[in-house]
Every structure is written in structure tokens, then in C-alpha cells.
Amino acid sequence: MKKYAFLVYHKDYLDFLSELQELGVLHVIEKKTGEIEDVALREKFSQIQQYNQLVSFLQKRQIEPAKELKELDGLKIFKEIKELQIQKDQYLQQLTTLKKEQSLLEPWGDFSWSTIDNLQKAGIKARFLSCSARKFSDAWQNSFYVEAINEIKGQIYFVLFEKINEKTEIDAEEITLPRRKLSDVLEQINETNTKLENTETLFDNYAATAIEALIKTKNKFTGEVTFDKVVLNTQKEADDKLMILEGWVPNDKAEVLVAYLEKKSVYYNMYEPSKEDSIPIKLKNNWFSRLFEPIGELYSLPQYNELDLTPFFAPFFMLFFGFCLGDIGYGLLILLAAFYYKPKVKPKIRPILTLGQFLGISTILMGLVSGTFFGINLLETNFLFFPSLRFMMLDSNELMTLALIIGGIQIIFGICIKAVRIILFEGFRASLATLGWIVVIAGCAAVYFLSDFGYIAKESSKNLYLIIGVIGGVPILFLNSPGKNIFLNFGLGLWDSYGMLSGLLGDLLSYIRLFALGISSAVLGLVFNQIAVGLSGDIPVVSHIIMILILLFGHTLNLGLSALGSFVHPMRLTFVEFYKNSGFSGGGLKYKPFIK
């Protein structure tokens, strides 16, 4: 990255910014005095959010886009859809009220209120009452002017007629009815439902034709917001006559910017980045590592003076996912689903499905190693052609050992990356202690395994441990802080050794989770298989249907839970154990070019 500062006369400044936005290479340095916003900017942010919500609302309707899209006015469509949404809310409220009136009137039938009014004029009042059928007394019909109208679900609805000046005491609930005919209410419900259906049809039409126009308008607002933010981040000098703007440009884009500045005769200065600068990060990875960049960004981007660890953790992450899920059947499902949906989704979603394909392949391979197919233990059954592949399958003890070996390899690999980073950014002398640890850890591990497999005699291995300890121990204890006296180095070396050794043990044991998750996934799958066989019964056809339903439910649940765990735990191993041993601190700022 290179830092540029521009000095522009105020009358030319907006045109300069527009042309700079067209170039799309400058990452503008924002002021450090909090968030720079004004009322107009906040309103535009609000508009962008509303457009996002509207696009999401239409996309959820899952309507196929029209084959021929006309050029539409996004602003006009936005207002029309908003009005439709308001109308829909009103219709829904109206429908709720009508349904309530319907439920009140339905027990009484479709009577006319004019009849009740005529009785009122004749001095007779009608009261609408209800009570439970057990409470309703036949004696009431002898004592009062009572007429039962309806009985629904053990509730009797009846009318009590009495003189206007009388108040008959009766143990029943009095109901206040809306002064409407039931038939009118039902007709209005039908009309409201028709209006709602028409509104939904209009929404579907907009979903088929208007999403692109709405996105274009939203992008226009986003560009304006970006432009306004840059204006607000401009430093003004000489009574606001001179505008000063600073920003970062990637080295491979600097030529384009300089050519423009020279052509327009813009005054500028270029600076090399200093240690005090907060330099934005633009990752450069190959197509495979780019698939894993979103995972790395979940934690943090590297700082400018750090190595990007994405290409280094990507193969491990893929392996760890397969280790945790470890089932040939589940891997095939993930792989086939990714293949099926990849041509159907938008281009920006396809890398995620490509990542899914790699994770599916890893799950299949590690399923072969663990000997699991939809929960079936292939080491104990002669299922399909898998017995011929039994030579590559491991039992539980071997899988746990494999998890620890892979963990040890990643830890040593991380320490090697740390040494390379120190050599690149701080010099070889500063890396001597780290190199000493690599000698000690890798050397001792090599001697242990060579001795364990009988390539080295036990007595000789003790001497080798001693030699390795001396070669690695000297830089660890006496050369860990170049330029400081030997006693301070020794004290710091002892303290670092304590932290390193205790941390290494904990880090290594943490990789047992790979084995544990793989085993738990396999056991859960096996349990669902046993439940399906045990509960299916022996009724022809029906037993097979029950078994299939239990297997579908059980393995879907197991796949969902296990896949989630297989994604989360490798992230933890990456962000905690691997990043720590690699000396990764992160906190980098993402490169965001000023662009429309």
C-alpha cells in the first residue's frame, strides 16, 4: 500500500471526488474524531436500510424473474410497494375485526336488527345471553320469555325478552353484539380477502419485475452515502478554500491513480507507510485459499506487518471438518447438494458451495478412515464393497492418536510460520528463540517416534534428547531478547519456557475434540439406525415406511448438529491454538476502495 495526500481547490473538489470514485482505487482515511455523520447522511442510511428490507421482502416470495425486464423507476416502485404494504396491514386489521364480529354473530344466525328495533319501539327489550348447557334451566322458559337460539360446543345461546323498565336477574353471560347482519359481515370478509389476494398478486408481479430496479436505486444511494462520507472526512484549510484528502492505494493500482492525477494536474504527495499508520489490508490468495477467506475474516484480518494465515489454515480446516463429521454417507450428501445447487444460485453464493464440495470430499475421505457410512461401523460389517477398503480404516485408539499427531503438526507448523514472520519483519536475531523451540519440539517428536518404531535404540535416544535440548535451549534461554543483558535474557527465557510448555500441552490436548466429535457423530448415527430397526415392527410395508421415516429424521438431525459442530470446532482450533502458536494478533483494517 502507498499513502497519498491530495490538495484540491474547493470549487474543483466535488468533480475531483466524482472522478476519483470512478477510478475506484483509493481507500479514504477517515477522521479519528468519532463517527462522521450529519442529518442528511443518516436519512440516506435509513433509505438504504428500507430498500434492503424491501428487496429481501420481495426475494422471499421466490418468484421467477420476468424474461424481459423493462427499465423501471426504483423510487416510484419503492413508494408503490410501501403504499401496498400499508394497505395490506389495513386489510389485515380490518379482517381481524370482521372475524371477531363473525364469531360473535354466528351463534345467533342472520337476523335483522330492524326486528329488534321494532320490538324496542313496542316496549320490549331483547337481551342476548349464553351459558353452559348444564346451567341452562328449563324452568327459565316457564318463568321468563326465553328463546334458545343455538347450542355450540356445550354452550347455549338464548334471547331473553323483557319490558324496557324491567331487569330480569338470570345466571348467564350477557353478550353485546355488533349492530350488523351476519350476511353483511361475511360479504365484507370475502371482499377483504379478495383485496388481500389482489395485493399479494401485485407483490408477486413486483417480485418478478422490480427487484433489479430497487437494487440499482439502493446502490445509487449507497454511492451517494460513500461520496458524502468522503466529503465529511475532508480536511478544510485556508478559510475552506483548500481541501485536503488522504487515502491508501494498493501498489498495483498506484500507476492508474498517478496517471489520472498527472492528467488533471492535481497536487499530491505520496508516502511510504510507517509503523504508526493504520494501513488497510487487501488479501491476495489463490482460488482455493479465497474460499476460506470469509472464515478467517470471522476472527480478524491480519495487520499490515503480519502474514495472512488463510492459505496456511485452509487445508487444516478442510481436514478437521472431515475428521469431526467423518461419515461417507454424510459427505456424499453434502457433495451432491453442493453440486445440485451450484448452477442454480447467484454467482456470489457459488464459492460457498465450492467450499461445501471440498468439505464434502474431506468428510468422505475421513469417513473411509474412520470406517463409518450413515452410522454403520464398516469395521464390523461386510457392507457393500467397503470390506475391500478396510486396510485404510482405523479403530478408536488409532483415530485419537491420529488427532493428536495432526494437532502436533499444526502447532509446529504454526511456530514455523511465527519464525518466518519474525525473520521477515524483525530480523533473524529476533527469531532465534522461536527457532530454538522448533528444534526442541520437532527434534524431540522425531526422536520419540523413531525410538518408538525401533529405528533408534532407547539408550541412544536419551543422548539425542540431551543434544536437542542443548541446541534448542541456548537460544531459548539466552538469545530471546537481542540487545538485552544475559541475565535478563535468562529470566525472560525461563518465564517464556514455563508459558510455552504449559500452553503446548493444553493446545495439543485440545485437538482430541476432532476424535471426540467424529465418534459422537458416528455413535448418534448408529443409535438412530438401531431405533429405526427396533421400532419398525414386523408389519409388511408399514414397518419399512416407519423405518425409513425414523432414519430420515434421525440422520437429518444428526447431520445438522454434527455439521454445525464440525464447522465451529475447527474454527476454534484455528483461531485459538493455531493463531496463538503462529503469533497472529490480527486487528487489520479491510481495504475498501472509494467506488460507486
Side-chain angles (χ1 to χ4, degrees):
M1 287 281 177
K2 285 186 169 51
K3 185 177 181 181
Y4 285 83
F6 313 99
L7 185 64
V8 184
Y9 187 56
H10 71 104
K11 289 185 178 177
D12 303 327
Y13 189 59
L14 293 182
D15 290 337
F16 166 72
L17 287 183
S18 295
E19 290 165 356
L20 207 56
Q21 201 174 19
E22 291 286 344
L23 284 178
V25 297
L26 184 75
H27 175 104
V28 175
I29 298 175
E30 297 184 355
K31 290 178 180 177
K32 296 180 180 177
T33 52
E35 198 166 355
I36 308 297
E37 286 186 13
D38 61 3
V39 176
L41 202 56
R42 279 195 286 273
E43 284 180 0
K44 284 180 181 174
F45 271 126
S46 173
Q47 280 181 313
I48 291 169
Q49 191 177 6
Q50 290 184 53
Y51 271 84
N52 280 332
Q53 290 170 349
L54 213 55
V55 169
S56 174
F57 166 74
L58 294 179
Q59 286 174 335
K60 284 180 182 174
R61 304 186 76 81
Q62 298 184 337
I63 304 295
E64 285 290 325
K67 291 181 180 176
E68 293 184 7
L69 293 176
K70 296 178 182 177
E71 192 70 28
L72 299 173
D73 184 348
L75 283 172
K76 185 182 173 191
I77 292 171
F78 177 84
K79 289 178 183 173
E80 289 173 354
I81 299 177
K82 278 290 183 187
E83 286 174 5
L84 273 180
Q85 286 182 323
I86 293 170
Q87 283 180 6
K88 182 185 173 184
D89 289 341
Q90 289 172 346
Y91 292 150
L92 288 173
Q93 286 177 6
Q94 190 177 353
L95 197 60
T96 304
T97 307
L98 288 169
K99 292 273 187 186
K100 189 177 177 183
E101 290 180 350
Q102 181 193 0
S103 66
L104 286 170
L105 288 170
E106 235 166 12
W108 309 96
D110 192 21
F111 68 92
S112 172
W113 279 95
S114 60
T115 307
I116 306 297
D117 291 341
N118 288 335
L119 286 171
Q120 186 90 5
K121 287 175 185 173
I124 297 172
K125 182 172 62 176
R127 291 170 62 193
F128 297 88
L129 303 161
S130 80
C131 68
S132 66
R134 287 186 305 174
K135 191 186 287 183
F136 188 80
S137 172
D138 293 335
W140 290 354
Q141 290 178 319
N142 298 327
S143 307
F144 311 118
Y145 295 100
V146 167
E147 182 64 32
I149 304 296
N150 212 339
E151 180 177 350
I152 301 173
K153 296 180 180 177
Q155 195 78 6
I156 291 192
Y157 297 85
F158 61 96
V159 181
L160 171 67
F161 297 97
E162 61 188 6
K163 291 181 180 178
I164 288 179
N165 296 329
E166 291 180 352
K167 179 69 176 178
T168 305
E169 294 297 331
I170 191 166
D171 187 14
E173 182 187 358
E174 185 157 358
I175 300 171
T176 304
L177 296 179
R179 285 189 58 83
R180 308 186 63 185
K181 284 184 70 176
L182 176 63
S183 55
D184 292 341
V185 172
L186 293 174
E187 186 181 344
Q188 201 170 349
I189 286 175
N190 288 333
E191 287 174 3
T192 309
N193 278 327
T194 304
K195 287 177 183 174
L196 274 171
E197 287 172 9
N198 293 337
T199 307
E200 295 295 336
T201 305
L202 287 172
F203 283 142
D204 287 344
N205 291 337
Y206 281 120
T209 58
I211 290 178
E212 191 176 331
L214 288 170
I215 291 174
K216 277 185 182 175
T217 309
K218 185 204 74 171
N219 291 340
K220 178 174 168 286
F221 279 122
T222 306
E224 289 177 5
V225 165
T226 309
F227 191 92
D228 291 350
K229 284 185 78 174
V230 171
V231 172
L232 288 170
N233 277 286
T234 302
Q235 182 181 343
K236 298 172 183 175
E237 298 291 346
D239 294 332
D240 296 348
K241 293 289 192 301
L242 294 177
M243 303 292 171
I244 299 173
L245 184 69
E246 292 182 318
W248 295 98
V249 177
N251 292 336
D252 58 348
K253 303 288 184 186
E255 193 176 336
V256 177
L257 178 68
V258 171
Y260 161 75
L261 296 173
E262 296 292 341
K263 182 182 175 183
K264 294 290 180 179
S265 301
V266 176
Y267 181 80
Y268 71 96
N269 274 329
M270 189 275 286
Y271 308 92
E272 292 296 332
S274 65
K275 288 184 178 179
E276 292 75 26
D277 286 323
S278 179
I279 308 163
I281 304 298
K282 184 183 178 186
L283 301 180
K284 289 183 179 178
N285 288 307
N286 60 31
W287 67 271
F288 176 74
S289 299
R290 272 200 300 275
L291 300 174
F292 294 84
E293 283 181 0
I295 296 173
E297 289 179 20
L298 288 175
Y299 181 79
S300 177
L301 286 170
Q303 292 185 19
Y304 194 69
N305 60 350
E306 278 187 319
L307 293 174
D308 173 21
L309 297 186
T310 308
F312 304 114
F313 79 68
F316 283 103
F317 189 92
M318 184 176 150
L319 175 65
F320 291 170
F321 183 91
F323 209 131
C324 290
L325 196 50
D327 188 294
I328 301 169
Y330 293 167
L332 279 171
L333 285 180
I334 294 173
L335 187 63
L336 291 174
F339 268 117
Y340 177 77
Y341 285 108
K342 200 171 173 182
K344 299 177 181 292
V345 299
K346 293 179 181 177
K348 66 179 182 180
I349 306 293
R350 286 176 192 157
I352 298 174
L353 294 178
T354 305
L355 177 62
Q357 289 172 323
F358 278 105
L359 298 180
I361 291 170
S362 172
T363 305
I364 293 171
L365 294 175
M366 289 309 298
L368 279 171
V369 174
S370 63
T372 309
F373 181 82
F374 284 116
I376 300 170
N377 187 349
L378 300 176
L379 282 168
E380 298 177 356
T381 55
N382 295 321
F383 187 67
L384 298 177
F385 56 88
F386 292 115
S388 61
L389 301 174
R390 201 164 282 164
F391 67 93
M392 60 191 298
M393 298 177 189
L394 304 179
D395 62 22
S396 299
N397 291 331
E398 291 168 333
L399 279 174
M400 189 172 74
T401 306
L402 180 63
L404 290 173
I405 290 173
I406 292 174
I409 290 172
Q410 194 186 36
I411 289 172
I412 294 171
F413 184 57
I415 298 172
C416 291
I417 291 172
K418 182 181 179 182
V420 171
R421 183 191 67 77
I422 295 173
I423 292 171
L424 288 176
F425 296 102
E426 299 176 34
F428 181 75
R429 285 184 65 195
S431 71
L432 287 174
T434 308
L435 292 173
W437 278 112
I438 294 172
V439 170
V440 170
I441 297 169
C444 290
V447 170
Y448 173 80
F449 283 110
L450 289 172
S451 172
D452 196 48
F453 285 105
Y455 293 104
I456 298 175
K458 295 287 182 186
E459 290 302 320
S460 302
S461 62
K462 292 179 182 175
N463 295 329
L464 286 172
Y465 283 132
L466 185 61
I467 294 169
I468 289 168
V470 172
I471 294 174
V474 170
I476 289 171
L477 292 175
F478 300 104
L479 301 173
N480 54 72
S481 301
K484 295 179 180 174
N485 69 58
I486 192 168
F487 298 107
L488 186 59
N489 266 278
F490 183 69
L492 289 172
L494 283 177
W495 179 251
D496 289 343
S497 298
Y498 168 74
M500 189 73 175
L501 291 172
S502 57
L504 276 177
L505 182 61
D507 292 346
L508 188 61
L509 292 177
S510 189
Y511 286 84
I512 291 179
R513 74 186 62 229
L514 297 175
F515 157 75
L517 283 167
I519 288 293
S520 65
S521 167
V523 169
L524 204 55
L526 179 64
V527 168
F528 279 119
N529 291 343
Q530 291 173 342
I531 291 173
V533 174
L535 295 183
S536 58
D538 52 5
I539 304 172
V541 182
V542 176
S543 61
H544 288 90
I545 293 173
I546 293 172
M547 185 169 68
I548 290 170
L549 288 176
I550 293 174
L551 287 174
L552 280 175
F553 171 77
H555 283 289
T556 302
L557 180 67
N558 189 28
L559 175 59
L561 292 173
S562 301
L564 181 63
S566 302
F567 197 83
V568 171
H569 286 276
M571 277 203 301
R572 183 241 143 86
L573 290 173
T574 302
F575 297 154
V576 179
E577 280 76 14
F578 181 60
Y579 274 15
K580 185 186 78 174
N581 288 294
S582 304
F584 181 84
S585 55
L589 179 68
K590 189 170 186 176
Y591 167 70
K592 291 181 181 174
F594 175 44
I595 193 168
K596 283 187 176 177

